[in-house]
Amino acid sequence: MDTQIISLSNQKGGVGKTTTCANLGIGLAREGKRVLLVDCDPQASLTLSLGWRKPETLPVTLATLMGRVLQEQPVHAEEAILHHAEGVDLIPGSIALSGVEASLDTRQNVLKRVLDDCRKDYSHVLLDCMPSLGMMTINALAATDGIVVPTIPQHLPTKGIEKLLESVHQVRRGINPSLKIEGILMTLMDGRTVYEREISEMIRKAYGGKINIFGTEIPRSVRAAETSAEGKSIFAYAPRSKVAEAYRQLTKEVLALEKQREEHRAEIGR
């Protein structure tokens, strides 16, 4: 099985990374894919939003597994895996990841070694990255095939894209030459303000020539915010909402990009 590892990354918080990770992952599972979600953030927002309210009480988390790699101990990722009712698996995060990040020093492939132990069982692994460009995020980019960059239509979060692109360039040069950007995803779109539309157009003009900008835009919605309190995806919580339809469309776009790449590889191989 050719596993796709995708990072949801932006150094700015509040741009819809966690919501997108959960709903894109469950969207892929609804299309028959085997999906593992990995919570790479000490705040454990993904773990909480999928219904595990006390991540610090879980016996094995991502911090446990990365700690074993650092101590040169055997890693058995299945010990950490939790099963969600909507067909995805999760390696949970916890506050202990803060301590792990402090211990990483310059080690860039610790997370990759954890994922190597479980990638054979999944078609897609989605990493919910923390909102920083520290060593945890560098570890995520080192293990990743492609990055989805959620951003909101405001000036400061769009400035964060530049910093992320610089980090991607550095990781490509030094650690992971095959790392690619799947696309920039506009999230929390109100659709009623001229300012938002102007920022959206600015992003498309500034980056659209060299980076894919997803055609799907995720609308702002109270219902989407409520899903994390319910431990469900938008598909289970409000299946007929505009947000659910947007995440269906995003899932199709991600799968279409993969199909294009496969066809391109096949063409080259002929």
Side-chain angles (χ1 to χ4, degrees), residues 184 198 212 235:
I184 296 170
E198 284 175 351
N212 174 49
F235 306 113

Side-chain angles (χ1 to χ4, degrees), residues 60-81 91 109-120:
V60 185
T61 66
L62 181 60
T64 318
L65 301 178
M66 292 182 73
R68 287 177 186 166
V69 173
L70 288 169
Q71 292 162 17
E72 299 296 333
Q73 294 176 354
V75 175
H76 302 293
E78 69 274 6
E79 292 177 42
I81 288 171
I91 294 181
N109 287 309
V110 175
L111 179 57
K112 184 175 186 296
R113 284 177 59 187
V114 170
L115 298 180
D116 283 347
D117 186 62
C118 53
R119 65 185 294 162
K120 67 184 182 300

